[in-house]
């Protein structure tokens, strides 16, 4: 899922995949949706390390136990897609494919208004540090999040890398993933502009890629944006099904 977005938001997407013969599993990041992990000034902190080293491998392991005879394909949205791309670079043999939807890097230099984005992302980190958590549920962005996660996110925006607090760049191995990748950009998505999407996709240098752009007209509406596509998911499902058939 995207930052602060519950797995419930992807129900129609999962149903669409099921109708196409896929086994679809929706998940919640810790501290989001059905997760019982607490976030607040006194709660235990976490960031990219825990999502990459605990949550993602747990989901993949569960999928493999659930359908041991089927290949696993990761589909990520926004931050979920960024972390999926990082993960497959670190563990290229664990999945058979990766799909990036409505996602690009948050590196400030790749955005249409770079200085504004840089200031906004660093302000988020400053607020999260001062309050010891990010009150996105009150400020209209990202939901209630731990300070570590928002500081990791802001550090990525500032540096263009995926550095952890210890300095390790966990995104440095994205090019080691050699499986197929599908990158879908939503044409009217202001949270994933074309240049930022390309920046993320270009890092998967070892992956045979298919890149698509879907317009609001493809979804049968005038506006889709960053968060609207999962509930009008038929074009995405069809694109993934066609891509995966070509990969087999």
């Amino acid at each position: 899922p995207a930052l602060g977005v519950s797995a419930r938001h992807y129900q129609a997407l999962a149903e669409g995949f099921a109708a196409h013969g896929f086994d679809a599993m929706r998940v919640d990041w810790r501290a989001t949706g059905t997760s019982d992990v607490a976030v607040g000034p006194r709660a235990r902190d976490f960031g990219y390390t825990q999502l990459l080293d605990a949550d993602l491998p747990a989901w993949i392991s569960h999928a493999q136990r659930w359908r041991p005879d089927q290949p696993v394909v990761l589909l990520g949205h926004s931050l979920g897609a960024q972390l999926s791309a990082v993960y497959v670079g670190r563990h290229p043999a664990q999945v058979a494919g990766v799909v990036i939807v409505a996602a690009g890097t948050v590196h400030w230099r790749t955005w249409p208004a770079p200085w504004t984005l840089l200031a906004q992302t660093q302000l988020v980190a400053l607020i999260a540090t001062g309050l010891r958590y990010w009150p996105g549920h009150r400020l209209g962005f990202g939901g209630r999040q731990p300070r570590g996660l928002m500081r990791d996110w802001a550090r990525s925006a500032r540096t263009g890398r995926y550095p952890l607090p210890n300095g390790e760049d966990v995104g440095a191995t994205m090019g080691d993933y050699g499986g197929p990748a599908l990158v879908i950009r939503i044409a009217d998505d202001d949270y994933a502009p074309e240049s930022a999407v390309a920046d993320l996709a270009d890092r998967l240098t070892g992956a045979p890629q298919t890149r698509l752009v879907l317009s609001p007209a493809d979804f049968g509406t005038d506006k889709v944006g960053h968060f609207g596509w999962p509930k009008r998911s038929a074009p995405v499902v069809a694109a993934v099904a066609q891509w995966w058939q070509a990969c087999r």
Side-chain angles (χ1 to χ4, degrees):
L3 178 69
V5 178
S6 168
R8 293 190 301 270
H9 189 68
Y10 303 92
Q11 177 66 29
L13 179 66
E15 291 174 352
F17 279 126
H20 272 71
F22 291 94
D23 295 313
M25 186 177 82
R26 295 175 297 129
V27 294
D28 272 318
W29 292 114
R30 63 180 62 198
T32 301
T34 58
S35 171
D36 59 2
V37 175
V39 168
R42 297 177 181 84
R44 190 171 183 176
D45 197 20
F46 65 86
Y48 283 1
T49 299
Q50 289 72 27
L51 303 187
L52 290 167
D53 292 347
D55 292 13
L56 267 163
W59 299 341
I60 293 171
S61 177
H62 179 80
Q64 291 168 335
R65 293 194 304 271
W66 177 44
R67 293 291 187 268
D69 58 332
Q70 296 294 331
V72 174
V73 176
L74 282 180
L75 184 150
H77 173 206
S78 198
L79 179 64
Q82 292 183 61
L83 295 182
S84 293
V86 169
Y87 188 85
V88 299
R90 300 175 79 201
H91 308 282
Q94 287 193 10
V95 301
V98 63
V99 180
I100 292 169
V101 187
T105 68
V106 72
H107 185 203
W108 67 281
R109 293 184 182 276
T110 68
W111 280 62
W115 293 105
T116 298
L117 182 78
L118 180 63
Q120 290 172 337
T121 55
Q122 303 318 295
L123 179 60
V124 166
L126 184 63
I127 293 172
T129 299
L131 297 179
R132 300 181 63 191
Y133 81 107
W134 168 246
H137 59 303
R138 298 182 184 278
L139 299 178
F141 171 73
R144 189 181 180 102
Q145 300 295 341
R147 63 187 181 277
L149 180 61
M150 301 316 294
R151 290 173 69 170
D152 286 347
W153 175 79
R155 193 180 298 112
S156 181
R158 185 173 65 252
T159 65
R161 299 180 291 116
Y162 290 87
L164 301 181
N166 65 5
E168 178 190 2
D169 179 9
V170 290
T173 57
M174 281 193 206
D176 292 345
Y177 171 68
L182 173 62
V183 180
I184 300 176
R185 181 171 68 85
I186 308 301
D188 67 337
D189 184 357
D190 294 334
Y191 285 83
E194 181 178 2
S195 51
V197 174
D199 185 37
L200 179 61
D202 287 347
R203 299 178 188 219
L204 294 168
T205 55
Q209 293 187 27
T210 300
R211 301 189 189 188
L212 300 175
V213 180
L214 296 177
S215 69
D218 293 319
F219 293 86
T221 186
D222 295 329
K223 183 175 178 57
V224 177
H226 192 61
F227 298 105
W229 67 268
K231 294 187 176 182
R232 295 177 173 269
S233 57
V236 171
V237 171
V240 172
Q242 183 177 6
W243 163 79
W244 185 242
Q245 182 62 36
C247 292
R248 301 301 295 271

